[in-house]
């Protein structure tokens, strides 16, 4: 049985003071989530990781939004795995479409980052999804297939057990145009079939999230799809009331 997972992606939002306020306000919610066998977390900016870790309930998953694949060195502006581990951060979003679009994050780069995370017993949340042009050209499955195959190339079933995959069609992110549950289930089911082909029965343990304009009003419909195990939520995870609504609507 896969545990449901609700993950907020704060992107470039919230000062450290605002993140602390949210973390304190989320304590009861995290307990409520756990009483109901739901994992819950947020991905703050690097500068707020420590404050969220310190002030939220210890069961809150705190994820970084990116990481470099080298341990240290001349990589100005980057952060490494040991630096995250020092703060007890063991979840990282990899290959979010905004990073693919603005920071040249290729499938190969995602692969290299995930290889380091998996070697360190950390949890990558690997984001995949097609652009509007690719969707309109009917290329969704082709795109998602190469993102999965190239990103996860040569990993072992034992390694990918911890992996989380997030399907986020780019045309639905921050646009209010969420994908229908039929589209979301179709693609998430397809992703699981590729995972099954690559890794065998472990595919049944890998959690697949849907992301893109998820809100308290629509989250329940996604989570009722057989291959959708949770949500990766941007805008609607920023305010505690709406974050709370996301959780209470899937209890
Ligand atoms: P959104 O963002 O919920 O604001 O559409 C989702 C994401 O980018 O993870």
């Amino acid at each position: 049985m896969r545990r449901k997972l609700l993950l907020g992606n704060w992107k470039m939002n919230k000062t450290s003071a605002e993140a602390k306020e949210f973390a304190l306000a989320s304590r009861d919610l995290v307990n409520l989530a756990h009483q109901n066998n739901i994992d819950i977390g947020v991905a703050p900016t690097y500068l707020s990781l420590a404050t969220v870790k310190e002030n939220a309930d210890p069961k809150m998953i705190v994820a970084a939004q990116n990481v470099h694949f080298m341990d240290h060195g001349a990589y100005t502006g980057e952060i490494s795995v040991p630096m995250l581990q020092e703060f007890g951060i063991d979840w990282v979003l990899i290959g979010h479409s905004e990073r693919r679009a603005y920071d040249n994050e290729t499938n190969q780069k995602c692969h290299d980052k995930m290889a380091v995370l998996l070697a360190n017993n950390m949890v990558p949340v690997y984001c995949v999804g097609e652009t509007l042009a690719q969707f309109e050209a009917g290329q969704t499955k082709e795109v998602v297939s190469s993102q999965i195959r190239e990103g996860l190339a040569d990993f072992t079933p034992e390694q990918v057990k911890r992996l989380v995959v997030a399907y986020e069609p780019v045309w639905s992110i921050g646009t209010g145009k969420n994908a229908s549950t039929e589209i979301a289930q179709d693609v998430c089911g397809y992703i699981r079939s590729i995972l099954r082909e690559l890794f065998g029965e472990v595919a049944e343990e890998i959690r697949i999230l849907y992301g893109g304009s998820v809100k308290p009003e629509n989250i329940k419909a996604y989570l009722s799809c057989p291959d959708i195990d949770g949500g990766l939520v941007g805008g609607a995870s920023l305010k505690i009331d709406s974050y709370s609504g996301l959780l209470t609507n899937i209890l």
Side-chain angles (χ1 to χ4, degrees):
M1 216 4 214
R2 299 182 295 266
R3 268 170 82 95
K4 287 184 199 165
L5 169 61
L6 174 61
L7 208 52
N9 173 12
W10 287 355
K11 310 189 179 187
M12 197 175 70
N13 290 292
K14 290 193 190 294
T15 61
S16 197
E18 289 163 346
K20 178 175 180 179
E21 194 183 321
F22 185 108
L24 290 170
S26 71
R27 289 183 143 260
D28 290 347
L29 274 181
V30 176
N31 279 305
L32 180 64
H34 275 256
Q35 282 155 18
N36 288 277
N37 295 319
I38 299 174
D39 289 331
I40 188 167
V42 288
T45 67
Y46 284 138
L47 286 172
S48 296
L49 288 171
T51 193
V52 174
K53 195 81 190 159
E54 270 164 36
N55 292 288
D57 183 280
K59 294 186 290 304
M60 172 79 119
I61 293 167
V62 185
Q65 297 175 15
N66 181 35
V67 73
H68 197 272
F69 55 85
M70 295 294 286
D71 265 10
H72 65 275
Y75 301 99
T76 303
E78 298 287 350
I79 298 282
S80 72
V81 161
M83 295 171 192
L84 293 178
Q85 285 176 318
E86 188 181 15
F87 287 93
I89 306 298
D90 49 11
W91 284 58
V92 185
L93 305 187
I94 295 292
H96 188 278
S97 65
E98 286 145 19
R99 295 204 53 83
R100 290 181 188 263
Y102 309 136
D103 296 279
N104 192 29
E105 195 107 324
T106 60
N107 292 335
Q108 182 62 47
K109 266 197 200 169
C110 293
H111 171 273
D112 295 348
K113 293 175 180 201
M114 287 192 283
V116 178
L117 293 175
L118 292 171
N120 281 279
N121 291 323
M122 293 167 76
V123 182
V125 180
Y126 183 39
C127 305
V128 299
E130 80 287 4
T131 63
L132 180 60
Q134 291 164 334
F135 175 71
E136 287 176 345
Q139 295 166 343
T140 300
K141 290 189 176 169
E142 201 183 308
V143 170
V144 166
S145 170
S146 51
Q147 288 171 330
I148 295 282
R149 289 173 196 279
E150 291 169 27
L152 305 182
D154 68 36
F155 294 158
T156 66
E158 190 53 36
Q159 281 179 309
V160 298
K161 255 185 201 164
R162 279 190 309 282
L163 177 79
V164 174
V165 177
Y167 169 56
E168 299 201 303
V170 180
W171 48 271
S172 73
I173 296 179
T175 58
K177 289 188 202 141
N178 51 301
S180 67
T181 48
E182 288 75 20
I183 294 178
Q185 164 55 32
D186 185 40
V187 181
C188 291
Y190 176 66
I191 291 172
R192 197 173 307 283
S193 74
I194 304 175
L195 294 173
R196 212 175 279 129
E197 178 199 321
L198 297 175
F199 304 109
E201 62 194 25
V202 157
E204 312 309 323
E205 292 176 46
I206 299 176
R207 287 184 284 186
I208 302 178
L209 314 180
Y210 168 75
S213 296
V214 174
K215 297 182 185 62
E217 307 83 69
N218 61 24
I219 190 164
K220 195 180 167 116
Y222 290 112
L223 268 84
S224 61
C225 298
D227 286 297
I228 301 180
D229 307 307
L232 180 57
V233 188
S237 74
L238 289 171
K239 295 228 164 70
I240 194 75
D241 287 352
S242 150
Y243 188 72
S244 156
L246 290 163
L247 175 68
T248 50
N249 287 350
I250 56 170
L251 291 180

